[in-house]
Amino acid sequence: MQDVGGDDLKVQPTEAPRAPEGPLAGIRVLDLSGYIAAPYGCTLLADQGAEVIKIEPPQGDNLRKYPSTLAAEGRAFLGVNRGKQGLVLDLKHAEGRDVLLRLAREADVLVHNFRPSVPARLGIDYERLRALNPRLVYCAVTGYGERGPLKDKAGYDQVLQSMTGICAMQGSPNDPHIVYGSVVDYYAAALLAGGVASALYARERTGKGQFVGISLLRSALAMQSARVVWAESEDRNVYRDMRSGGITGLYPTRDGNLYVSANTPHFWAALCELIGLAALAADPRYDTVRKRAQHAAEIVPRIREALRARTALEWEQHFGERVPCSAVREVEDMFEHEQVAAEAMIDTFQHPLVGRYRGLVSAYKFGETPAASRAPSAAPTFGQHSDAVLTRHGYSAEEISALRSKGAVA
């Protein structure tokens, strides 16, 4: 086995994880993708019980090499690739491509994030694989889609944020702000999981697989569907955002910041009562969201002043279930949060290089097919399950050794 990063750590070949449970149990996914959007979409399929084989090139998924305080593995890679088996193939090598085609004959889903012109050059385009396996659901994740002048341009989360108005809306056209956390990537991942699941459902009725196209451009626009509406009667610069008239939002307190959401009449009245400003709720000038938006400059300073009387955590307790709110916390607080624990969202993973670590165990919760009932499976090390995967697909030890000696497999 090889290890990415040039150090001397080696991981012995291991058996593939046992067959998963969940609503997609029995579905085999070949994940050829890198970075975040497509790999995490495949992780969401694994969360639903699919068997996901992550196929990396000899240089590895570039996300492994991103900055991380973990010496042995990238934190982002661990979080994005849980629950998968790891196989290394050189698709530019004829023998490596033949291995993939052999695996594709038995697969249910194949996912990649190559630019549209690349799959045909590699000999793994949709038309060829559909002829090989008509039941295959073939999902391509691109930056901009399969057509148009930008189709072969590399697409990245923040690039698409800048292109589609997210940055300008987050700040302003003259002072744009990036939304950190790869929100476009993660939304594309959710679209991938939903699209592939729908294609698998359609296959149950028709017996045929199909092409599924996911793009970061489509993702960035889809997550702004409330903004992407332009009536013929409106000017270009019509106000498009939904910020609840400036009443709902972040407020400083005596200690810490508090986010308050008070859009409905019920929550607005409760907020005013609990901060000692009941007269605001009784004032007919402020009795609708639109009216409150018109008078935000009058209302917000009074709310801000009232909220300085307590800390953010104290207000959170004081409001209870009557006013939707939250103290601003750091992500580290989620590891110990009682609600996260009650929903069993965090579990302990065992990794050959990193050791024990805690992380999100699943994005889903199923009552009848609980995929998360099995022990959590960490992201694979580089080529961790190559031997096990190839053996399961009929390769002998001698054939695997020969492939490895030629550089087709690692």
Side-chain angles (χ1 to χ4, degrees):
M1 295 290 103
Q2 300 182 42
D3 185 68
V4 173
D7 55 34
D8 294 327
L9 290 169
K10 302 293 180 183
V11 178
Q12 294 300 314
T14 61
E15 292 298 320
R18 65 176 180 170
E21 304 164 10
L24 292 183
I27 295 298
R28 180 172 294 170
V29 179
L30 304 181
D31 174 13
L32 278 65
S33 62
Y35 291 101
I36 294 177
Y40 195 65
C42 292
T43 289
L44 295 177
L45 297 175
D47 284 350
Q48 297 175 72
E51 173 194 352
V52 179
I53 302 171
K54 183 173 180 66
I55 300 174
E56 297 183 69
Q59 64 271 26
D61 183 337
N62 200 43
L63 198 61
R64 289 187 185 270
K65 306 165 189 174
Y66 267 47
S68 173
T69 56
L70 297 173
E73 188 60 277
R75 187 183 312 277
F77 184 87
L78 292 178
V80 169
N81 289 285
R82 66 177 177 269
K84 301 179 183 180
Q85 303 164 43
L87 167 66
V88 176
L89 289 180
D90 187 351
L91 297 182
K92 296 180 181 179
H93 196 294
E95 282 85 352
R97 186 166 57 253
D98 289 343
V99 171
L100 176 66
L101 295 178
R102 183 163 166 176
L103 269 58
R105 288 190 183 95
E106 301 177 18
D108 299 285
V109 180
L110 182 143
V111 177
H112 70 72
N113 64 339
F114 300 123
R115 297 184 220 184
S117 62
V118 173
R121 293 205 306 266
L122 292 176
I124 59 168
D125 54 289
Y126 173 58
E127 294 302 327
R128 177 169 184 178
L129 294 191
R130 180 174 66 171
L132 192 70
N133 178 359
R135 289 177 55 81
L136 184 69
V137 173
Y138 184 106
C139 180
V141 180
T142 61
Y144 302 89
E146 293 76 37
R147 301 178 183 84
L150 300 181
K151 67 182 180 65
D152 278 312
K153 180 181 174 69
Y156 291 92
D157 184 290
Q158 289 81 10
V159 175
L160 270 299
Q161 285 190 39
S162 301
M163 174 183 175
T164 60
I166 293 175
C167 295
M169 188 64 72
Q170 195 69 15
S172 69
N174 295 323
D175 183 26
H177 295 167
I178 289 289
V179 182
Y180 289 99
S182 300
V183 292
V184 175
D185 280 339
Y186 280 103
Y187 193 65
L191 295 176
L192 185 160
V196 166
S198 294
L200 288 170
Y201 178 73
R203 192 182 71 174
E204 290 300 303
R205 293 179 293 160
T206 67
K208 297 179 181 179
Q210 61 181 294
F211 177 88
V212 177
I214 305 292
S215 73
L216 298 189
L217 174 59
R218 193 179 297 273
S219 170
L221 293 177
M223 65 190 296
Q224 298 184 87
S225 60
R227 296 170 180 163
V228 186
V229 175
W230 189 358
E232 290 183 357
S233 60
E234 295 180 308
D235 294 331
R236 172 185 169 86
N237 294 324
V238 65
Y239 185 74
R240 297 181 178 276
D241 208 7
M242 294 176 59
R243 298 191 181 179
S244 301
I247 307 304
T248 287
L250 284 167
Y251 291 89
T253 69
R254 193 173 72 198
D255 182 20
N257 291 282
L258 182 77
Y259 189 89
V260 176
S261 180
N263 298 325
T264 68
H266 172 75
F267 292 137
W268 167 243
L271 171 66
C272 294
E273 173 195 337
L274 292 171
I275 64 175
L277 297 175
L280 290 180
D283 193 322
R285 293 177 299 168
Y286 311 143
D287 61 5
T288 69
V289 173
R290 289 190 178 183
K291 288 181 181 180
R292 291 194 288 275
Q294 293 169 357
H295 296 280
E298 305 166 11
I299 302 171
V300 170
R302 299 184 65 182
I303 296 176
R304 289 171 68 92
E305 181 180 358
L307 290 176
R308 288 191 180 277
R310 306 184 189 212
T311 70
L313 292 176
E314 287 171 346
W315 281 118
E316 198 177 67
Q317 290 295 316
H318 184 62
F319 289 153
E321 297 180 2
R322 297 188 62 190
V323 179
C325 68
S326 177
V328 174
R329 292 173 169 82
E330 296 180 345
V331 69
E332 289 79 4
D333 294 321
M334 294 299 97
F335 288 91
E336 308 295 343
H337 196 285
E338 58 185 4
Q339 184 61 36
V340 174
E343 285 290 302
M345 298 178 186
I346 301 292
D347 207 337
T348 300
F349 295 77
Q350 184 68 42
H351 190 274
L353 301 179
V354 177
R356 287 166 60 87
Y357 69 89
R358 289 184 293 168
L360 181 68
V361 68
S362 178
Y364 299 95
K365 182 178 180 181
F366 296 105
E368 298 298 328
T369 53
S373 65
R374 56 193 165 91
S377 174
T381 57
F382 187 66
Q384 182 178 355
H385 307 102
S386 290
D387 287 17
V389 170
L390 295 176
T391 299
R392 195 168 65 248
H393 283 82
Y395 285 90
S396 67
E398 292 76 16
E399 289 174 314
I400 295 172
S401 178
L403 289 168
R404 185 166 284 121
S405 68
K406 295 178 181 178
V409 171

